[in-house]
Amino acid sequence: RHKLKTRYVYAVKHDSKGVVTKFKARLVVLGYGQIWGLEYKDTFAPTASEATIKFNIANGAKKGYKSLVVDYHGAYLHGKMDKTVYLSSDIPDLDVPAGSMIRLYKSLYGTKQAGNIWHAAWKQSMIKLGFRQSKYDPCLFIRRDKRGTCYAIAWVDDVIFTHDLRQSEMDAIIQEIEKLGFVLSSVTNLEYYLGIKIEFKSGGLVKMTQKAYLETILKRFGMDGEEGKRTTKSPMNNVDLPSKK
């Protein structure tokens, strides 16, 4: 049978101040070798639009809602594979008996349909919890009843919950998510999301900055010292532009 190769991918995670918080190692499938129709079909996986995320945060701040960010651990590992896929047995520290093969029962990072399968699994879990999907953004889910209002917005495995629920009600939602089989890496107040530092000010104002990201870019190109303080001239400075008459 056709088998897919794998490799390990390493990453370093930082917080809003650029401080290293964890080192990650992940086994991924080299999905470029998958055969369409046999090993995958649907691959599209939506993510929340920037406008939806910013409006939700601003709207929540204006109304005095609380905002949490929930990180799902190993998100792509939760959904079941929709096609039969086998892996090559040359995975370090994994002994495969002679005459046996490795078959993927659940999706794995790197497979072409992993994102599609994850979104379907997350969508189904939200519906089970009483949320309804927005017709304007497929990654926005809303639950509104006598207990209060709760919005859930997903960017892959990072989900923002903005709500006016009692703490016990929000805790119950988190517990129900875990009962559905999801493992949550963290549940924290919304202060950092997608590389953006978020600060809630008085009067319903919100401040968003990417200082740590910008400092990382400057350091990468050697502009974090004295060189970075110099003003770089634009090529347009030497161009004779037509004057207004």
Side-chain angles (χ1 to χ4, degrees), residues 11 16 23 37 42 57-59 62 68 94 103 107-108 117 120 122 131 140 142 144 149 162 167 180 187 206 208 224:
S16 60
F23 297 92
D42 296 325
I57 294 174
N59 182 60
K62 182 179 180 181
L68 301 175
L94 180 63
R103 177 180 175 180
S107 60
L108 192 64
I117 293 174
W122 184 75
F131 288 78
L140 170 61
I142 307 164
R144 185 180 290 115
T149 301
T162 302
Q167 188 59 46
L180 291 174
V187 180
V206 181
M208 298 185 180
D224 55 330

Side-chain angles (χ1 to χ4, degrees), residues 121-132 141 143 176 180 182:
W122 184 75
K123 172 184 174 180
Q124 193 60 34
S125 71
M126 288 293 99
I127 292 175
K128 287 182 179 180
L129 292 175
F131 288 78
R132 62 178 178 83
F141 285 76
R143 195 185 81 172
E176 287 299 318
L180 291 174
F182 295 99

